[in-house]
Structures are given as structure tokens and as C-alpha cells.
Amino acid sequence: MRTADGRIVLGLHRSGHARDLLEAAADLGIKRIDTASNYLRHRSHEILKSTAGDLLPHFSLSTKVGFFPEGHSVDPARLRTAVEQAVKDLGREPDVVFLHNPEHSASDTGRLGLACAALADTARAGLCRSWGVSTWDPRPLVDCDVPCPDVLMVRAGLLVGVDVLEAAESLATRWRPSLLWGMSPFGGSTAQQVWERFDPRVFLRESAPATKAQAAFRSAYGLPRVDAVAVGTDNVDHLRELTEALAYEVDENVVQEYRQLLKARQLA
Ligand SMILES: NC(=O)c1ccc[n+]([C@@H]2O[C@H](COP(=O)([O-])OP(=O)(O)OC[C@H]3O[C@@H](n4cnc5c(N)ncnc54)[C@H](OP(=O)(O)O)[C@@H]3O)[C@@H](O)[C@H]2O)c1
């Protein structure tokens, strides 16, 4: 088994949760997997336990609560019950439990602090090691105050608009998480036309022999600057390609120029 750091988080949002994939991830030295109570039609936790329960101790496991079969909720009591259920379904305490897309209960952002406090309580009670907030669209949250999360997860990469990028950065400044994670570096799919139309290798230093997917993935660590990136794949070759991408260096000047272009376009 290779040793790798925790900079890649294997995200299971679009995954079939095949055992082979998790075995390969462990072999590639991937240390983190990320799921949510609602992934795989609300069955991700129980499927993980039944197909790969013995592999789970190899990983730091994060999950998310907030989406219920009846809809989204940030109600503190429901969130606590969801964490208790996650522990039962997984057969272990998660390392991180995120509040999942709290912006979905936008009219409830006044209660966001209470929802976060409820998750912090579950960590104190030993139901999980740490807690965080994962947000697809941080813009409605930028004026909210919450207890300091252990991890904040935001969208990252070349497809993130400047308004979302800036909102994520201001949330990180305001909430001071111990770790900032990025997610969805391909915007959910590498089959989108945008990836055919432009070559993200311009973001890498010198002429690295990288693939376009590697360049897009590696660039995501700087937009915004994050400690780890949650990326999805069910393909072991793709996963290997992603682990190898970490060796490439990003040209910070190109990233800065790109940000200036995004900003100029927003203001135009
Ligand atoms: N709000 C939230 O909390 C939230 C929202 C979205 C995502 N996330 C997290 O972020 C994770 C990743 O998001 P995502 O899966 O939506 O989007 P993503 O990582 O941007 O894209 C996943 C797609 O990229 C393809 N891909 C990955 N590596 C590739 C490679 N080397 N070459 C070619 N194609 C490649 C995969 O196809 P193949 O299977 O064919 O490789 C997959 O269809 C999720 O699983 C979840 O953990 C969280």
C-alpha cells in the first residue's frame, strides 16, 4: 500500500459504492472518503457497511446530514438524530459530519448557528470526531455567524464563478475553520463541452506531461486555496491519474491572471 497524504478525498456522490473502488483507493494511499446520508438514494451508509465495512477503518470517513427523504432541514433535533442514525448504519463514528448545504433552508439561516451548535454537540458527545459545513452555494451564508467549524467544504476549481469563489473565501475568513476542503473540481462531469473547448494545462508550470483532467484537478487546489479536494470517480485508472496529478505544480501567476479575468468579466 502506498503512503499518501490526505489531500484527495474520494467523494461518493455519483458512485455505485463498489468494493473494488474502495480497495483500489486504499491501495493508492487515499486516506479520506466522503459520503452523505442521502447519497445512493439514502442508502449510502448501510451499503458502505455491508459491502466494505472491513475497509472503512483504512479511511477517514466524512458524511453529511441535512437532506432527509421528506426534504431538507436544519432542525437541531433532526440533525442529531441523523448523526445517531449514521453511526448505527455505518457501524462506526464518522470522522467528520457536515451540515449539508444549509443554504437549502435559506429562510432558516437565522437558525444556522443552532444547527451548527447541534453538530458541535454530537462531536463533544463522541458521535463523530469533528464537524463541519459543506455548502454548494455559500452566498446566502456570508452574513451568518456560527461556532468555528473543524472543516468547511466549498466548491473548487476552474468552473466556479467569481461570486461563489469570493463568498467561499469570505466565509472561510469569517468562520475560521481548521481545514478548508474543495469539492467537485470538474463541476460534476468531465463530459461537459467546456472541457473540450479549453486546455487547463496552461495552469501548470512548465510543460508538465499532464492530462487535461489532471491539470483541471490540480488547479482546483488554488481556486480557492484548499487543503484537500473531494473528487468523484468510479474508475480506478482515473483515480490513479488524480493521485499522480498532485506531483504537478500550479503556476500561481496564471491563477492570479485568471482570477482577474473572472473579476473583470463580473464587473463588465
Ligand atoms: N454540497 C455538497 O456537499 C457536495 C456537492 C457536490 C459534491 N460534493 C462532494 O464532492 C465530490 C465530487 O463531486 P462530483 O462527483 O459531483 O463532481 P466531480 O468530482 O467534479 O466530477 C466527477 C466526475 O469526474 C469524472 N472524473 C474524475 N476523475 C477523472 C479523470 N481522471 N478523467 C476523466 N474523468 C474523471 C468522473 O467520471 P468517472 O467515474 O468516469 O471517472 C465523474 O463523473 C462528491 O462525491 C462529494 O463528496 C459535495
Side-chain angles (χ1 to χ4, degrees):
M1 194 181 288
R2 270 191 230 175
T3 51
D5 53 37
R7 281 185 293 167
I8 298 182
V9 184
L10 176 59
L12 301 180
H13 177 29
R14 297 166 200 281
S15 170
H17 294 46
R19 181 182 173 87
D20 292 1
L21 180 77
L22 295 174
E23 280 175 349
D27 285 343
L28 286 166
I30 288 175
K31 299 209 181 307
R32 300 183 196 279
I33 53 178
D34 178 68
T35 189
S37 61
N38 63 318
Y39 289 178
L40 215 62
R41 298 173 300 284
H42 296 271
R43 296 189 63 211
S44 175
H45 294 161
E46 65 173 280
I47 300 284
L48 272 178
K49 185 183 170 191
S50 62
T51 60
D54 58 317
L55 297 176
L56 294 185
H58 291 292
F59 298 103
S60 173
L61 172 69
S62 53
T63 190
K64 317 183 194 73
V65 293
F67 285 101
F68 299 90
E70 313 78 43
H72 191 268
S73 172
V74 294
D75 176 68
R78 290 191 79 183
L79 294 173
R80 183 172 180 112
T81 305
V83 178
E84 289 168 350
Q85 189 62 45
V87 174
K88 278 190 203 137
D89 291 345
L90 286 163
R92 61 166 277 190
E93 291 82 20
D95 293 282
V96 189
V97 175
F98 290 103
L99 180 58
H100 200 174
N101 290 2
E103 66 273 17
H104 270 260
S105 293
S107 59
D108 263 355
T109 49
R111 299 178 70 205
L112 184 60
L114 292 174
C116 290
L119 287 192
D121 280 346
T122 64
R124 270 191 293 274
L127 292 167
C128 52
R129 279 181 201 276
S130 60
W131 72 280
V133 177
S134 176
T135 167
W136 185 256
D137 184 353
R139 290 172 298 179
L141 310 179
V142 287
D143 293 325
C144 298
D145 284 315
V146 302
C148 222
D150 297 303
V151 191
L152 174 62
M153 180 149 74
V154 294
R155 286 173 63 193
L158 297 165
L159 299 190
V160 183
V162 71
D163 46 352
V164 169
L165 198 57
E166 288 180 347
E169 287 169 338
S170 65
L171 212 56
T173 303
R174 188 172 185 130
W175 290 359
R176 294 176 291 110
S178 305
L179 289 171
L180 184 61
W181 289 4
M183 63 173 149
S184 215
F186 302 115
S189 167
T190 46
Q192 295 175 76
Q193 254 199 356
V194 64
W195 298 120
E196 276 169 37
R197 285 208 306 264
F198 108 104
D199 191 338
R201 286 174 285 208
V202 295
F203 285 87
L204 298 184
R205 271 187 200 282
E206 296 162 0
S207 52
T211 64
K212 285 166 111 180
Q214 285 178 318
F217 176 61
R218 185 64 187 86
S219 308
Y221 287 80
L223 288 160
R225 195 174 292 279
V226 291
D227 302 293
V229 172
V231 60
T233 180
D234 263 350
N235 179 317
V236 173
D237 291 331
H238 286 171
L239 192 57
R240 184 175 302 107
E241 202 179 318
L242 297 172
T243 60
E244 289 167 358
L246 293 184
Y248 298 122
E249 279 184 55
V250 170
D251 187 333
E252 293 303 331
N253 292 330
V254 180
V255 173
Q256 282 321 313
E257 276 172 36
Y258 177 68
R259 285 198 64 144
Q260 281 161 14
L261 282 174
L262 285 180
K263 193 69 192 166
R265 189 158 173 253
Q266 182 196 39
L267 296 175

